Amino acid sequence: MTKDELESKKFASLFQSVKKIKLIPWKGQASIGVSIFKNYPTKGSYIPVKNRQGKNDSVICINIFFPQSETKNKTMKVILKISAFKSSHYLWKYHWYDFNNKNCPSELAVNKSQQSKQPINIEENFRYEYNLKTHKIFDLETNKFVTANEIVNSIYKIHIKTITNKIFKLKINAIGRLVEFIDPINNLLKNINHYCFGKSFKKTNNLDDYFLGIYETYKKEDLIDLSVTSEKPTILGSDFPITYQSATTFFVLTLVIFSINYWYKYDLMGFVGLANEASKNSLFLASLVTVSLIITDRVIPHFLVSIMNILIRLRIYLTFRHKIKIK
């Protein structure tokens, strides 16, 4: 028996006493964990699908695991990843319902269940710490050791709560929708930096950076120019080189500001007035141009990264504090 197989066996043994329908230890996967199946309450707003023998086909599947790679952790401590979601005995074996199959629940039972209030998938990713040496689990939220049974019961109750508590369910749904908007917004900001300012994030094959931009914020040095300094143009007599994309953006913005002033007599941020004053003094003009270029090529791109980091932190807070699962 390999070290990972032995670790998997020890981990699964922690959950043997948990009240359940079935426990499946994970084998031959990149993670060490277990899948625990429990019944939904017989009375409640959610109606589980029943098979043709009258037994529950719909069950709660609770996955508790950690990556195998973390067994090499020198601290001998890993964070458990936990999820609870609606599952099905039949769909565990088959791709979808085949009502002609005698093992399949009836169409009436499936429709009846789908018309009832539905539970929400739940995740708990940063609360429990598992000690590989002592095989004990520590609750980082309450600062005390807990049993496997307590963990399963806790996530089970939260999952059930999403059915019965309307306010809680609405809150989780709203937060989930909000989190789903974060990636499109961050991708838009990335594209703005790329196409308007010639900036991109440096690529890395380091596995430690896998969650960079997802659950880890960017650092200042992660943002790089698409062109080397020697290829950057200098414009309007300034010695400050900028990317071609930033130069284009600078000219377009300048044109827009002067056009607005010409057509609508509105001086956006007083830029036209400053330009008129600067035209009377060469030193003032050079300073104004240089500062404008720095803002365009340096300040704005890093400001966009700051917004992205705020959204990443918001995702971390909403995802892990409120235990939602992102689809």
Side-chain angles (χ1 to χ4, degrees), residues 69-86:
S69 58
E70 294 189 15
T71 58
K72 300 177 178 63
N73 192 332
K74 293 181 180 179
T75 63
M76 298 298 287
K77 295 177 181 179
V78 297
I79 298 297
L80 296 179
K81 312 295 182 183
I82 306 172
S83 62
F85 55 93
K86 182 179 67 175

Side-chain angles (χ1 to χ4, degrees), residues 23-217:
L23 183 146
I24 301 178
W26 293 10
K27 295 180 180 179
Q29 299 192 37
S31 297
I32 293 173
V34 294
S35 292
I36 299 167
F37 296 89
K38 292 175 69 71
N39 274 323
Y40 281 98
T42 53
K43 295 181 180 180
S45 302
Y46 170 66
I47 302 174
V49 176
K50 292 186 179 295
N51 60 26
R52 303 189 189 204
Q53 288 73 44
K55 296 181 179 179
N56 281 353
D57 178 71
S58 295
V59 290
I60 302 172
C61 179
I62 300 174
N63 289 333
I64 305 175
F65 66 97
F66 60 91
Q68 276 190 7
S69 58
E70 294 189 15
T71 58
K72 300 177 178 63
N73 192 332
K74 293 181 180 179
T75 63
M76 298 298 287
K77 295 177 181 179
V78 297
I79 298 297
L80 296 179
K81 312 295 182 183
I82 306 172
S83 62
F85 55 93
K86 182 179 67 175
S87 186
S88 161
H89 288 306
Y90 180 80
L91 295 180
W92 190 263
K93 298 178 182 178
Y94 302 93
H95 178 65
W96 191 241
Y97 292 114
D98 177 8
F99 298 116
N100 294 320
N101 187 330
K102 64 179 182 179
N103 295 319
C104 178
S106 68
E107 186 174 3
L108 179 63
V110 173
N111 290 336
K112 186 177 180 181
S113 176
Q114 290 176 344
Q115 290 170 7
S116 66
K117 293 181 179 179
Q118 301 295 307
I120 296 177
N121 298 346
I122 295 295
E123 282 192 352
E124 181 72 86
N125 289 305
F126 280 86
R127 179 173 176 177
Y128 298 104
E129 183 181 72
Y130 176 58
N131 191 306
L132 296 166
K133 188 175 182 179
T134 63
H135 304 291
K136 290 184 177 181
I137 302 171
F138 188 75
D139 187 341
L140 298 172
E141 193 171 288
T142 60
N143 289 318
K144 65 178 184 179
F145 287 100
V146 292
T147 64
N149 196 58
E150 288 174 320
I151 294 175
V152 173
N153 286 340
S154 174
I155 198 74
Y156 175 83
K157 289 177 181 178
I158 294 172
H159 181 68
I160 297 301
K161 188 179 178 181
T162 65
I163 305 171
T164 57
N165 191 319
K166 291 182 179 179
I167 295 177
F168 181 76
K169 187 171 184 175
L170 286 171
K171 180 181 178 181
I172 293 296
N173 274 326
I175 292 171
R177 294 292 176 86
L178 177 61
V179 171
E180 287 174 2
F181 277 108
I182 290 177
D183 273 339
I185 294 173
N186 274 355
N187 287 335
L188 174 63
L189 296 177
K190 280 183 182 179
N191 287 332
I192 292 174
N193 256 342
H194 186 278
Y195 294 107
C196 297
F197 302 103
K199 311 292 183 184
S200 183
F201 291 105
K202 61 182 179 182
K203 296 180 180 179
T204 174
N205 294 321
N206 191 343
L207 291 177
D208 293 336
D209 295 331
Y210 179 79
F211 289 107
L212 184 63
I214 304 174
Y215 294 117
E216 291 181 14
T217 55

